[in-house]
Amino acid sequence: MRHDSSYRRIFGDPFMMAEFIRGFVPTEIREGWDLTTLEPMDTQWSVRGREQRRADLLWRLRRDDEWIYVYVLLELQSTQDAKMAVRMNTYVSLALESILNSPQTKASDPLPFILPIVLYNGQKRWRAATSLAERQTGFSPAMQAFSPSLQFLLVDENLLDPDRLAPLVNVCAVFFRLKRLEDYQALEALIGELDRLLPPERHGPLRQALLDWLYDDYFPAKPGPIPAARKRAESLSEVQAMLTEGTPDWIAFAEKKGRKEGQLEGRLEGEINVLKRQLVRRFGPSLPGWVDERLQGASEDDLEHWADAVLAAETIDAVFGGRR
């Protein structure tokens, strides 16, 4: 998807990745990490010599001034994925196998640390499991002791606190504020902040990646006569100038649309909660995991249809038309 490609370009820049780690990985995890040593690694692996598997981004860095490597595996998600914990476990295993098979790795070398991260930028809050243990329930502790215990760090853009992001002098924080912008009058200031934090002589590729993202993904998703409809700007500074000349009509229209979208999302959330209570009363408290995924991706028409179906359905599959 084009949106995912834009994210890979932006977070494929070492400065942006350092800003992300600095601002959104807990301090106790990244203590001693030398972010100036970040270097990208290959993320395409062969499975049994044939099938190819590819993760989004894998970075290597030094820790405590020693050549003890830490790897950060960053997966970029714009949609919910119930199998995400399994996928991340696969990626970590393949990355470790690739590192161990490298000519630079000695048989006696300790295994490096790999931090798996999912950066989620979908429209609704992440609901899927963030660990394998959440998907393996009903087993005794003795059995679970032999199960993989991987857990990934989830950064859900929907849950980022604007009040926490605002004071941060961090390019990644500005980017996230821009993504979730509701006060369109602040758009010009945020573009200006990006321009100020990224001197062109030092961050040319990252500036270009952000500029392309603005025109290819961000502006087309916004309503009204925005700069995307005009001549394409050559720099972030030029985008800011265009916004300065923007019409108040666009701001008013955009804010009105944003309020309507927020009201719709709140109404859908309420209908989902009511339907879940009906399902629990009808079929018991242990709802299958796929039910929540269906509910979170539902339209108003879907919820209305399922609310009618739950009254007469004999099984939970029948409520959803027999399809998972």
Side-chain angles (χ1 to χ4, degrees):
M1 295 175 63
R2 188 176 65 184
H3 183 274
D4 295 337
S5 176
S6 297
Y7 257 62
R8 279 194 292 272
R9 283 186 62 198
I10 291 170
F11 288 94
D13 183 275
F15 180 79
M16 189 65 159
M17 192 63 201
E19 291 281 86
F20 175 72
I21 293 172
R22 195 177 290 117
F24 301 94
V25 173
T27 306
E28 59 270 21
I29 295 178
R30 57 181 172 84
E31 185 176 358
W33 292 11
D34 184 353
L35 298 181
T36 65
T37 64
L38 275 167
E39 55 181 340
M41 306 297 292
D42 185 25
T43 60
Q44 181 165 306
W45 305 290
S46 295
V47 180
R48 294 182 292 276
R50 298 188 300 277
E51 180 187 353
Q52 296 290 321
R53 297 297 297 271
R54 175 182 286 277
D56 284 326
L57 295 166
L58 179 66
W59 292 92
R60 182 173 74 164
L61 67 151
R62 289 172 56 184
R63 179 173 65 90
D64 292 330
D65 296 324
E66 300 178 73
W67 289 105
I68 300 174
Y69 281 111
V70 172
Y71 290 77
V72 179
L73 176 66
L74 181 64
E75 192 68 10
L76 309 169
Q77 281 291 119
S78 57
T79 58
Q80 302 273 348
D81 187 351
K83 298 181 289 186
M84 198 70 235
V86 177
R87 281 177 56 196
M88 294 302 282
N89 184 68
T90 300
Y91 293 153
V92 169
S93 298
L94 290 172
L96 282 173
E97 186 174 349
S98 176
I99 294 165
L100 291 175
N101 290 336
S102 169
Q104 288 77 36
T105 303
K106 299 178 182 177
S108 58
D109 287 346
L111 287 175
F113 172 78
I114 298 182
L115 174 64
I117 306 176
V118 171
L119 173 56
Y120 172 65
N121 54 74
Q123 293 300 313
K124 297 182 179 180
R125 289 177 55 177
W126 181 270
R127 303 286 184 180
T130 58
S131 70
L132 291 175
E134 292 177 66
R135 297 297 307 275
Q136 289 184 312
T137 57
F139 299 103
S140 68
M143 294 175 68
Q144 290 178 336
F146 292 93
S147 292
S149 59
L150 179 133
Q151 179 172 352
F152 60 82
L153 173 65
L154 174 68
V155 179
D156 185 345
E157 292 183 21
N158 294 285
L159 301 181
L160 297 178
D161 182 0
D163 292 334
R164 176 183 174 270
L165 295 178
L168 297 181
V169 184
N170 182 297
V171 172
C172 197
V174 177
F175 176 71
F176 289 147
R177 288 170 64 194
L178 192 60
K179 285 291 304 299
R180 297 293 165 185
L181 189 63
E182 294 181 359
D183 176 10
Y184 291 91
Q185 296 186 29
L187 181 58
E188 177 191 344
L190 288 178
I191 299 295
E193 197 167 347
L194 282 178
D195 190 33
R196 179 178 59 82
L197 292 173
L198 295 171
E201 62 275 10
R202 293 172 52 193
H203 301 290
L206 179 55
R207 286 172 63 95
Q208 187 60 51
L210 288 167
L211 184 64
D212 291 342
W213 169 76
L214 283 169
Y215 274 91
D216 294 340
D217 296 317
Y218 185 76
F219 285 153
K222 300 297 179 183
I226 51 177
R230 309 182 194 177
K231 178 183 176 183
R232 191 181 180 102
E234 297 294 329
S235 68
L236 291 174
S237 304
E238 192 174 338
V239 173
Q240 187 184 15
M242 284 183 171
L243 291 170
T244 303
E245 300 167 2
T247 63
D249 291 341
W250 169 66
I251 294 175
F253 179 69
E255 290 180 338
K256 181 178 179 181
K257 182 176 184 292
R259 286 194 296 271
K260 287 183 176 179
E261 289 174 346
Q263 292 168 359
L264 174 61
E265 186 168 344
R267 187 166 69 249
L268 288 178
E269 193 71 26
E271 292 178 8
I272 288 171
N273 290 334
V274 170
L275 181 54
K276 285 179 75 172
R277 288 197 296 270
Q278 290 179 308
L279 290 168
V280 167
R281 290 195 187 102
R282 188 91 166 84
F283 303 106
S286 299
L287 298 178
W290 58 264
V291 170
D292 199 50
E293 294 171 40
R294 291 293 301 274
L295 293 176
Q296 293 305 320
S299 65
E300 265 191 300
D301 289 341
D302 290 333
L303 294 172
E304 183 177 342
H305 175 74
W306 295 335
D308 291 337
V310 75
L311 300 175
E314 295 295 330
T315 65
I316 197 166
D317 277 6
V319 174
F320 297 91
R323 298 190 305 274
R324 298 187 180 182

